Amino acid sequence: MKGVLGIFEDREDLVRALKEAPGQGWTQLEAFSPYPDQELYELVEPGKSPVRWMTLLGGLTGGICGLALTIWTTLQWPLLITGGKPLISLPPFLVIVFELTILFGALATVTGFLYWGILRRLFRSLPYDSRFSQGHFGLWIECSEGETQQVIEWIKKTGATEWKEH
Amino acid sequence: MSDQESIQPSPDTRPEAARFEKVNRDVLRTLLPGPWYFALLAFCLMVFALGVWAWSRQVGQGLEVTGLRHPVMWGAYITTFVFWVGIAHSGTLISAILFLFRASWRAAISRAAEAMTVFAVMTAGLFPIVHLGRPWLFYWLLPYPNQRTLWVNFRSPLIWDVFAVGTYFTVSAVFFYVGLVPDLAVLRDNSTGWKRRIFAVASLGWSGSGREWKHFSSAYLFLAALATPLVISVHSVVSWDFAVAIVPGWHSTIFAPYFVAGAIFSGLAMVLTILIPARAILKLKDYITVGHLEKVAQMIIVSSLIVSYAYLTELFFAWYSENPFEQTVFLSRAVGDFAPLFWLMVLCNCLAPLLFFFKALRRNTVILFTISLLINVGMWTERFVIISGSLAREYARASWDTYSPSGVEWTILLASAAWFAFWFLLFIRHLPALPLAEVKESIHHAAHGPTPLQQEVNT
């Protein structure tokens, strides 16, 4: 991937640059920050994270599995030693249903995070600077080889303290 | 000094990038183990080995080496199981519930509290197995297909317990790890050689890009939202181990909220017990301030009052129900064999925390630490009085008896504390004790206020 990586000391400069870059015709952007910054990531990728759907899907699966497990296993040995209560006594089973809802929901949430947050990025192989985990911010602009000089000229003006061509 | 000031790190006028780097330096500095550290680790392992030896005697000779006799078949082991599960709960309260309430002061203590949760559940999980006469058959608790198509009884609270505690351990461990990923990247970028390679894998190649943070934040929020009802369900299920049985002193509808409040109460005390020495030894007083400790003390007051109210309600139930068996149990708690423990419990759990109503006292770390130790003792005693005290006075007078734990039981209890301390020591010198990303975020917000987007979300 061709492009320019700008390094910023000031977050506000980066926010401004992120807002202006699409106007210059560069739309393939990525921002780097040392902490979760909602304004930044909304600019990079607007909209809500799809991880929430994984949570829902996982939770529903867990709940159904809980019901299936308790009811099916009870029917495997249908002895009425339940003190007059029905064989399939839902109130106690609901405890299992609840716990499995949470368990599957949480594991699915993490799977969603690993897929969208981690795996998808591993295949993009963007450049990285170890200062991003310290205190600096970064802006990656993807562009064609001919455009790099133009991007560098522009990124200088936005307040980047350093820039690297990739 | 206002609350807000006392919680934020001292004002710093340098550019943000430099201040963020200082956070990294201050926390990474704590990761240099000295000789004392290894001595302490070795000591914990020795005490744990002693416990393993005691347990091996119990496995060899049977439960006769314990003090457990009919009618008191649940004693120190089950008490300690409940105690450690309870300790875990405040970690989730601080990391998940306060996160959902946007109590940003939690950032400084959340990592240590989360670690405490994971290790406390790992400690608690030992006890149901230790308590078994034939521990090698523990897998009978799990629903697995077997030749006789015999399944577990899902009507039994003990099976609920397996599911609740198992889920709790898995979810807390996962929650702890996900929160740790960005900080592992900091460790990766600040280390060299094989350490760097380990952290690179552990941090999953984290780069801090906007897309990563976006899905990270979403996942963290939903994990917190799942952990919140989970933590309440776990101690409710633990309380139903007792409340579902018809033992007088156990069979009560208030048990679930009563136990959840007690769990959070004891866990908050444990947070203070651990953090007060840790912040001094690790020189993190600028980050974990007296203001943070004070907030924990304030939450202790609230949970202590709920617990005291539950004690009174129990006594009221016994009196008002006119049930002679209930009345006998509660009378024997106050004046019988278990009376010294009962009054110790009242002193530690109901009276001592009242001192936190005085600002000067709850900002004094020596007093905070002392009372937190008292609460730990008090909460263990509470469970002991409830569990063994009720069994000792069950219905027929002919079967009344008393109980005191044997040397084997005390050794195993001590070993469990060593096991917990061992894991916590490993954590404190190998992983950042503060959530670096969150501390940086709170520094930023302290200086600039919430971003326009966050204001939009909040309104």
Side-chain angles (χ1 to χ4, degrees):
Chain A
M1 237 182 285
K2 279 278 159 209
V4 175
L5 180 69
I7 294 174
F8 292 75
E9 266 185 24
D10 191 73
R11 175 187 171 276
E12 310 311 318
D13 288 339
L14 170 63
V15 172
R16 221 173 303 120
L18 257 180
K19 283 179 180 161
E20 288 169 10
Q24 302 284 327
W26 305 307
T27 49
Q28 294 300 308
L29 308 171
E30 184 60 272
F32 296 89
S33 60
Y35 59 85
D37 192 315
Q38 198 177 4
E39 195 179 3
L40 285 181
Y41 63 67
E42 292 283 332
L43 283 168
V44 171
E45 195 179 62
K48 293 195 186 306
S49 161
V51 168
R52 65 190 58 225
W53 296 109
M54 289 297 286
T55 313
L56 179 67
L57 199 71
L60 288 176
T61 313
I64 292 167
C65 285
L67 270 182
L69 176 71
T70 45
I71 293 175
W72 181 76
T73 55
T74 309
L75 292 177
Q76 289 304 102
W77 196 298
L79 277 183
L80 268 175
I81 43 166
T82 51
K85 299 194 177 66
L87 193 60
I88 294 166
S89 11
L90 283 179
F93 293 178
L94 279 182
V95 176
I96 308 293
V97 172
F98 177 84
E99 300 299 342
L100 288 186
T101 305
I102 302 277
L103 179 65
F104 281 50
L107 293 179
T109 307
V110 176
T111 313
F113 162 64
L114 291 179
Y115 176 72
W116 281 290
I118 304 291
L119 263 188
R120 223 175 38 147
R121 190 208 67 247
L122 288 182
F123 292 107
R124 280 173 76 209
S125 69
L126 294 183
Y128 177 66
D129 189 292
S130 64
R131 277 172 292 179
F132 297 154
S133 71
Q134 317 295 312
H136 286 68
F137 296 84
L139 172 62
W140 163 255
I141 302 179
E142 204 180 307
C143 60
S144 63
E145 204 158 352
E147 272 180 310
T148 39
Q149 272 316 312
Q150 197 189 342
V151 174
I152 289 175
E153 284 306 313
W154 178 79
I155 214 166
K156 275 183 196 171
K157 280 185 273 175
T158 58
T161 52
E162 224 178 279
W163 41 87
K164 285 189 245 172
E165 205 182 314
H166 286 273
Chain B
M1 203 173 11
S2 80
D3 276 4
Q4 205 52 38
E5 278 168 343
S6 63
I7 281 167
Q8 296 307 336
S10 51
D12 195 333
T13 48
R14 282 172 297 165
E16 251 175 19
R19 295 181 57 194
F20 292 156
E21 276 158 27
K22 184 176 182 305
V23 174
N24 279 1
R25 267 201 314 280
D26 285 347
V27 175
L28 296 177
R29 177 177 47 73
T30 66
L31 304 179
L32 298 168
W36 277 108
Y37 172 74
F38 291 108
L40 215 57
L41 266 189
F43 177 72
C44 287
L45 277 182
M46 264 165 51
V47 177
F48 182 68
L50 205 64
V52 173
W53 170 75
W55 185 52
S56 73
R57 278 198 53 200
Q58 181 188 310
V59 173
Q61 298 182 29
L63 286 171
E64 64 164 17
V65 299
T66 68
L68 297 167
R69 298 287 181 277
H70 185 79
V72 185
M73 299 308 291
W74 281 10
Y77 293 149
I78 301 297
T79 302
T80 314
F81 164 73
V82 180
F83 174 79
W84 283 113
V85 178
I87 294 298
H89 280 42
S90 75
T92 318
L93 169 85
I94 289 168
S95 59
I97 302 183
L98 293 184
F99 175 76
L100 295 180
F101 280 108
R102 313 258 167 204
S104 57
W105 63 269
R106 67 174 260 293
I109 56 172
S110 67
R111 174 64 44 75
E114 270 171 38
M116 194 186 83
T117 296
V118 177
F119 305 143
V121 183
M122 277 164 56
T123 314
L126 300 176
F127 279 92
I129 295 177
V130 168
H131 181 71
L132 293 177
R134 291 177 289 170
W136 51 92
L137 296 180
F138 76 94
Y139 64 92
W140 282 9
L141 285 164
L142 306 172
Y144 67 98
N146 54 56
Q147 262 186 329
R148 293 164 292 165
T149 67
L150 190 60
W151 295 90
V152 294
N153 179 7
F154 285 112
R155 289 179 197 85
S156 162
L158 300 186
I159 298 300
W160 305 345
D161 230 10
V162 173
F163 277 76
V165 176
T167 301
Y168 190 41
F169 174 69
T170 315
V171 173
S172 329
V174 158
F175 192 44
F176 178 59
Y177 177 64
V178 168
L180 205 54
V181 166
D183 291 354
L184 288 169
V186 175
L187 289 180
R188 172 197 65 201
D189 294 343
N190 283 288
S191 47
T192 50
W194 57 271
K195 269 191 175 174
R196 186 185 171 88
R197 249 171 276 152
I198 290 175
F199 286 129
V201 173
S203 67
L204 306 171
W206 183 263
S207 74
S209 70
R211 285 179 175 84
E212 280 166 296
W213 282 122
K214 181 192 173 90
H215 303 299
F216 170 88
S217 305
S218 184
Y220 200 81
L221 175 70
F222 282 97
L223 283 177
L226 288 170
T228 300
L230 174 64
V231 70
I232 292 167
S233 86
V234 170
H235 227 65
S236 302
V237 166
V238 168
S239 81
W240 292 333
D241 286 342
F242 310 104
V244 170
I246 51 165
V247 176
W250 288 4
H251 195 55
S252 161
T253 45
I254 61 160
F255 255 44
Y258 168 25
F259 268 51
V260 172
I264 287 171
F265 176 56
S266 67
L268 289 170
M270 189 59 104
V271 167
L272 288 184
T273 310
I274 290 176
L275 281 185
I276 290 172
R279 71 194 267 275
I281 295 167
L282 301 177
K283 300 190 179 67
L284 287 174
K285 287 185 182 174
D286 286 347
Y287 294 94
I288 303 171
T289 63
V290 174
H292 289 114
L293 303 179
E294 189 185 358
K295 292 257 180 204
V296 177
Q298 285 169 331
M299 291 201 294
I300 286 182
I301 298 179
V302 176
S303 46
S304 161
L305 290 177
I306 298 176
V307 168
S308 307
Y309 174 69
Y311 293 165
L312 290 176
T313 313
E314 270 195 317
L315 292 174
F316 175 79
F317 279 179
W319 169 70
Y320 196 68
S321 68
E322 294 194 348
N323 176 333
F325 302 111
E326 285 280 330
Q327 289 177 345
T328 309
V329 165
F330 283 94
L331 198 67
S332 91
R333 278 189 199 173
V335 296
D337 291 345
F338 290 81
L341 293 176
F342 176 81
W343 293 109
L344 178 68
M345 159 193 124
V346 171
L347 176 76
C348 295
N349 299 348
C350 310
L351 301 178
L354 294 180
L355 292 178
F356 288 162
F357 272 112
F358 300 100
K359 196 177 176 80
L361 296 182
R362 64 173 186 256
R363 292 184 67 88
N364 178 329
T365 49
V366 176
I367 295 202
L368 277 173
F369 186 69
T370 314
I371 293 183
S372 79
L373 284 180
L374 283 181
I375 296 173
N376 285 326
V377 172
M379 283 308 293
W380 190 86
T381 317
E382 180 210 285
R383 275 72 170 251
F384 188 80
V385 168
I386 293 175
I387 295 170
S388 304
S390 305
L391 286 172
R393 289 288 176 277
E394 202 180 355
Y395 299 109
R397 191 180 286 260
S399 66
W400 286 2
D401 203 350
T402 190
Y403 161 74
S404 61
S406 71
V408 168
E409 284 168 286
W410 285 120
T411 313
I412 291 178
L413 301 199
L414 209 64
S416 81
W419 164 262
F420 175 79
F422 172 76
W423 285 103
F424 202 84
L425 285 170
L426 278 189
F427 155 75
I428 208 108
R429 286 294 193 199
H430 293 93
L431 296 171
L434 297 180
L436 297 166
E438 270 190 72
V439 171
K440 290 172 189 169
E441 192 183 3
S442 57
I443 288 179
H444 174 76
H445 290 316
H448 300 274
T451 61
L453 256 166
Q454 275 165 333
Q455 277 167 344
E456 207 177 292
V457 170
N458 289 339
T459 46

